[in-house]
Every structure is written in C-alpha cells, then in structure tokens.
Amino acid sequence: MIIEGKNSVYEALLAGTTFNKLVVQVGHHDELGENIITEAKERGIRISFSDKKLLDRLSESGRHQGFVAEVTEFVYSEVSDMKKLASDLGEQPFVVILDGIEDPHNLGSIIRTCECAGVHGIVIPKQRSALVNSTVLKVSAGAASHMKIAKVTNIHTEIEHLKKDGFWVYAAAMNGEVIYKTNCVGPIAIVIGNEGKGVSTLTRKLCDGLISLPQFGKINSLNAGSAASAIVYEIVRQRNFK
C-alpha cells in the first residue's frame, strides 16, 4: 500500500506502521519533513532520496508533498478491541458503524472526525463498502493509522452483539428523533448510512431508535461525512460538557 503526504506518512510512523521503504524528494524538507526523516532513520526504515519525477510516478493522488511510503496493508481490528480500549480509558464505549459508505473520501473524512472526537472504533462491512486504502489514509490526514477499524462480514450480527453487551444503537435517518433530545451518554453505537440510500431498512429495524439532525434550509439532506461529524460531536458534547 502507498501512503503519501507529510501528515499521513508521519502519523503512520508514529502509529508503528510497518514501512517497506520511504522515498523522499531531494531538498523538499521543512520541520515536519525533517521529523519524518529522523523518525524513519531511528526505526531503521530504508530511505531513498530522489527527484520529483520519481515521486510523481509513485504518487497515486499527485499530492505527495515530497514524501511517498510503501507500507504493509492496513491491519484491521476487532470490535472487542474497541470495547477494551474504552475500558482501559475508563470511558463509556462509543462506536460508529458505517452501513455501506462507498466513497473513500467520505470514509477518510469520517475516520478523521471520529479520531479527533475520541470515538473508540469504526465498523465497516466487508462487502459493498469502501475499504481502507491509500486514498482513505490520505484524506484522513493520517488518522486511520490511529483508529481501530473492524471489517466485518455482517453488520447486523455486530449490532445484535453490541445490544446484548448493553449498547444503545441508533441509526441516523431523516425521520428520526432530533439527536439533541436523545440521551447519548452511555455505551452507544451510531449507524451512518450509504451516501445515496441511507441506512438500510433491515438495519433500521435492528436499531433501538432513529436519530436525525434538524434542517431548516431548502436542501433536504447532508452528505454522510457532514452528518457523521455533527452527530459525533453532539455525542461528545453530551458526554463531556453537561
């Protein structure tokens, strides 16, 4: 897998990601770039210094900022790892379930929001979903390297397990109760749906309830990334700023 861009490469280094090699553009170093090189040398990572033409060829996005790394494939977590993390931190568990997010840019954006907000993990399905790739890593600004992400066969099974473990599971939907009226303080999982179809009918039926964001404009929906951000941070507010 290719990681490119200073922030993404640096966060992957800090997270202990296994690097096969790091390619750095000659003379393209600022303070962050020097920190990357220093960290890579301390970890014994093979570094090669090359001209921009080579990095342009290696880059998948064309926005490498002078740093391209070849790393091992993303290592997914288990849902149990998220519960353990919450327990170790002494916090009520907070999980986000993505029901068919297909755009890697949306996935990367949601991962970045969740990592910043202290979400303990994200659950995605193995099929009909964007997976963690170089684009997701780039858009997440390296946050994916610090986020526990589980790739599961069936999110319905995971929802049922979470409910048995005492989680309240809510799906984001247009006809749901306004989230500002919903108690989100305890163990909670939020389901964010597909960019076009939203949360599937069966998934909604499995959830404890539906939540929504109030809307007052002429456009009748937010995109998945924006909706996830607003919902996640309302939960942060309820749990931390009473």
Side-chain angles (χ1 to χ4, degrees):
M1 181 186 293
I2 295 295
I3 296 180
E4 53 187 291
K6 294 175 187 175
N7 286 325
S8 297
V9 171
Y10 189 54
E11 294 301 333
L13 280 168
L14 295 182
T17 304
T18 301
F19 278 60
N20 296 326
K21 65 179 179 180
L22 173 63
V23 183
V24 178
Q25 184 176 326
V26 174
H28 199 69
H29 313 156
D30 55 11
E31 183 177 355
L32 179 55
E34 292 296 341
N35 290 340
I36 293 171
I37 293 168
T38 299
E39 184 73 21
K41 286 180 177 178
E42 290 178 354
R43 286 188 50 189
I45 294 168
R46 179 162 58 93
I47 306 173
S48 61
F49 294 90
S50 303
D51 61 18
K52 184 175 181 297
K53 289 182 180 180
L54 174 60
L55 277 87
D56 288 344
R57 289 199 300 271
L58 296 173
S59 172
E60 297 177 353
S61 71
R63 298 187 295 274
H64 53 74
Q65 299 174 305
F67 289 81
V68 175
E70 180 186 297
V71 303
T72 57
E73 291 299 308
F74 184 80
V75 178
Y76 290 91
S77 300
E78 302 291 336
V79 176
S80 59
D81 297 326
M82 305 171 193
K83 300 174 188 175
K84 182 178 185 302
L85 174 61
S87 177
D88 290 346
L89 293 172
E91 298 172 354
Q92 295 284 9
F94 182 8
V95 172
V96 170
I97 301 170
L98 303 181
D99 185 14
I101 295 294
E102 298 176 336
D103 184 343
H105 293 86
N106 275 338
L107 177 56
S109 174
I110 292 169
I111 292 171
R112 185 173 184 176
T113 294
C114 289
E115 202 285 324
C116 288
V119 172
H120 299 111
I122 296 172
V123 179
I124 62 175
K126 289 181 179 179
Q127 304 295 327
R128 295 182 295 279
S129 172
L131 301 178
V132 180
N133 58 19
S134 57
T135 299
V136 172
L137 290 169
K138 175 69 176 176
V139 174
S140 77
S145 298
H146 300 288
M147 174 57 62
K148 294 189 182 301
I149 303 172
K151 182 174 62 173
V152 302
T153 302
N154 191 322
I155 63 169
H156 298 152
T157 300
E158 297 304 327
I159 288 172
E160 290 173 340
H161 288 164
L162 289 171
K163 289 171 67 175
K164 288 178 182 178
D165 284 344
F167 280 71
W168 286 89
V169 183
Y170 296 101
M174 290 288 294
N175 60 337
E177 179 182 55
V178 173
I179 188 172
Y180 307 133
K181 299 179 180 179
T182 305
N183 184 346
C184 302
V185 173
I188 193 167
I190 299 298
V191 184
I192 305 295
N194 174 272
E195 292 89 348
K197 302 174 184 176
V199 179
S200 69
T201 301
L202 179 55
T203 303
R204 292 188 191 197
K205 290 179 179 178
L206 288 172
C207 293
D208 294 300
L210 306 179
I211 55 173
S212 67
L213 292 164
Q215 296 177 52
F216 306 101
K218 293 182 174 60
I219 302 300
N220 65 359
S221 66
L222 294 165
N223 71 27
S226 297
S229 296
I231 289 169
V232 164
Y233 268 96
E234 168 57 17
I235 296 171
V236 169
R237 185 197 67 78
Q238 289 191 26
R239 292 156 70 103
N240 296 279
F241 303 98
K242 298 180 182 178

